[in-house]
Amino acid sequence: MLFKISGVILLIVGLILVHRPGLVSPHPIPTDPYQVIEKRVRWGFVIGLGLLLLFHHSWTPWGLTVSALLIALTTGIIIARLLGMLWDGFYVKQLLWLAIELGALLIFGFLYGKLKT
């Protein structure tokens, strides 16, 4: 239960920091929208950790836990990138990064499925 509560807190904090990336950073927010999206993506790791704590409950097989961590972090990054693209605009380079991240998510999901069986 403590992991789920921590996961929800991390998820909410991550979403807040994606929305306002300069909230805890001493550096000013860049004026280039591409760089703003990249700054938002960094907070996707917090979202990913929240997702891991919220949905992954078995810690014993280390391979399964590592693949679940990779899936959760990649999903958090994808969520942050999509929100950044929604708020700051669509750029071809961002779409390419999104395609790479989706490909990695498919590979990690396949690995998770292989290890689970």
Side-chain angles (χ1 to χ4, degrees):
M1 187 65 165
L2 181 63
F3 286 128
K4 286 186 179 187
I5 293 170
S6 300
V8 169
I9 291 170
L10 282 174
L11 187 64
I12 291 170
V13 167
L15 289 172
I16 290 170
L17 290 172
V18 165
H19 181 62
R20 307 222 357 133
L23 196 61
V24 294
S25 176
H27 305 292
I29 296 177
T31 57
D32 180 28
Y34 177 81
Q35 294 300 324
V36 175
I37 294 173
E38 288 301 314
K39 194 164 188 157
R40 291 181 196 279
V41 167
R42 293 181 191 154
W43 296 111
F45 287 104
V46 178
I47 294 172
L49 287 175
L51 290 172
L52 178 71
L53 293 175
L54 196 58
F55 294 114
H56 188 69
H57 307 292
S58 174
W59 302 98
T60 47
W62 69 270
L64 201 60
T65 302
V66 168
S67 61
L69 173 68
L70 292 172
I71 288 171
L73 290 178
T74 306
T75 303
I77 291 169
I78 289 172
I79 290 169
R81 188 169 306 278
L82 286 173
L83 288 173
M85 289 169 67
L86 180 69
W87 292 324
D88 297 320
F90 290 91
Y91 299 94
V92 174
K93 199 170 182 182
Q94 291 293 342
L95 290 173
L96 292 175
W97 277 114
L98 183 63
I100 291 169
E101 291 158 356
L102 288 172
L105 184 63
L106 287 173
I107 292 170
F108 297 148
F110 178 75
L111 178 66
Y112 184 84
K114 276 295 232 193
L115 290 173
K116 192 148 182 141
T117 58

